[in-house]
Amino acid sequence: MHNPDMPSTAAARSVQRVRHETRLRRLRVLRTQRLSPALLRVTLGGGELAGFTSAAADDHVKVFFPLVPGGAPVLPAGPPGTPTIPGAPQPVARDYTPRRYDAQRGELDIEFVMHGEGPAARWAAQAAPGQELAIGGPRGSFVVQGDFDWWLLAGDEAALPAIARRLEELPAGARAFVFAEVDAASDEVPLPSAANVQRHWLHRSGRSAGDAALLSAALAAFPLPPGTGYGWIAAESNVARSLRTQLLARGFDKQWLKASGYWKLGAVGSHERIED
């Protein structure tokens, strides 16, 4: 949203797609850390991590899991589109945010939402040092450039790693408004930042995830600040679509609003960018 009475540096603002070399990396678990009842951090390392690149806070890597606990991950037979081998085990993969990459220490953090009975949550629940995992990507990054007057970040537990990374990367003097939906206060996690951040935690209190009501009501009550803001939403696909529609109806500039479905009710392994 832009207020014509405010000075603009729109010419310096852009969202640039940066492509990366796509390769598979076989890694090992170094350690795990429970951040909250809903979120588990797994730190990965290994020689193949060298050269890893992630240029944007909402990048995602494809994580390949073992079929049995403690086993080796099943990898694709070749590049995307390669025919599968009849009767061979098929890869089980999900998309995750590279939460932190430390090239000097050779470490990559990935944070798992610990709900449901999916293969990712099952694997993360038993993850232990020395176990194998594989990642592919990121294939590319959407790099946001230029100074914005403010940032709006909204989502559920699945969005927390990307929100936390974005806040850590914002400079002092930036303004950000966070609307994060979790089940309970115990699921809140620290969101440190050098920026001036207003954090709004929304609690489902036992209700099922995937309903837009809490986030929709919170955003409806939020007066959009003057100037040009960048908006970022990630949640269940229908929730993300609903929130995007809501903000566009209030005059949010479409070019500075990104919405993604990080998961979808009734679907397996869904990851969707919400567009017109």
Side-chain angles (χ1 to χ4, degrees), residues 148-162:
F148 288 84
D149 297 302
W150 47 276
W151 295 73
L152 174 62
L153 310 173
D156 57 19
E157 292 94 338
L160 285 178

Side-chain angles (χ1 to χ4, degrees), residues 46-185:
E48 294 188 17
L49 189 57
F52 179 83
T53 300
S54 176
D58 59 348
D59 283 350
H60 60 268
V61 293
K62 189 75 71 176
V63 179
F64 295 89
F65 297 94
L67 297 184
V68 296
V74 178
L75 303 180
T82 301
T84 58
I85 301 173
Q90 298 304 304
V92 176
R94 299 291 186 268
D95 289 334
Y96 279 90
T97 299
R99 172 65 182 84
R100 179 191 66 97
Y101 172 56
D102 187 324
Q104 288 188 329
R105 294 174 61 90
E107 294 182 352
L108 174 67
D109 289 345
I110 295 178
E111 295 173 359
F112 294 84
V113 177
M114 303 302 292
H115 64 68
E117 293 298 324
R122 286 198 301 269
W123 178 87
Q126 60 79 59
Q131 290 185 349
E132 295 182 30
L133 202 64
I135 64 168
R139 299 179 64 182
S141 303
F142 287 91
V143 180
V144 182
Q145 298 177 315
D147 293 329
F148 288 84
D149 297 302
W150 47 276
W151 295 73
L152 174 62
L153 310 173
D156 57 19
E157 292 94 338
L160 285 178
I163 289 175
R165 180 173 163 183
R166 175 73 71 188
L167 291 176
E168 286 183 355
E169 295 176 359
L170 286 179
R175 297 176 67 204
F177 304 88
V178 175
F179 293 86
E181 178 188 309
V182 295
D183 185 59

Side-chain angles (χ1 to χ4, degrees), residues 152-224:
L152 174 62
L153 310 173
D156 57 19
E157 292 94 338
L160 285 178
I163 289 175
R165 180 173 163 183
R166 175 73 71 188
L167 291 176
E168 286 183 355
E169 295 176 359
L170 286 179
R175 297 176 67 204
F177 304 88
V178 175
F179 293 86
E181 178 188 309
V182 295
D183 185 59
S186 59
D187 295 312
E188 298 177 12
V189 295
L191 297 173
S193 179
N196 178 8
V197 183
Q198 291 186 20
R199 301 165 181 83
H200 303 271
W201 291 98
L202 312 175
H203 300 153
R204 289 190 302 272
S205 301
R207 287 170 290 178
S208 298
D211 187 300
L214 275 177
L215 282 165
S216 180
L219 291 183
F222 173 61
L224 299 180

Side-chain angles (χ1 to χ4, degrees), residues 1-2 6-16 143-150 227-230 253 255-256:
M1 184 175 185
H2 177 64
M6 297 290 292
S8 174
T9 58
R13 300 181 182 117
S14 68
V15 180
Q16 180 183 4
V143 180
V144 182
Q145 298 177 315
D147 293 329
F148 288 84
D149 297 302
W150 47 276
T228 301
Y230 185 88
D253 192 332
Q255 68 176 323
W256 308 133

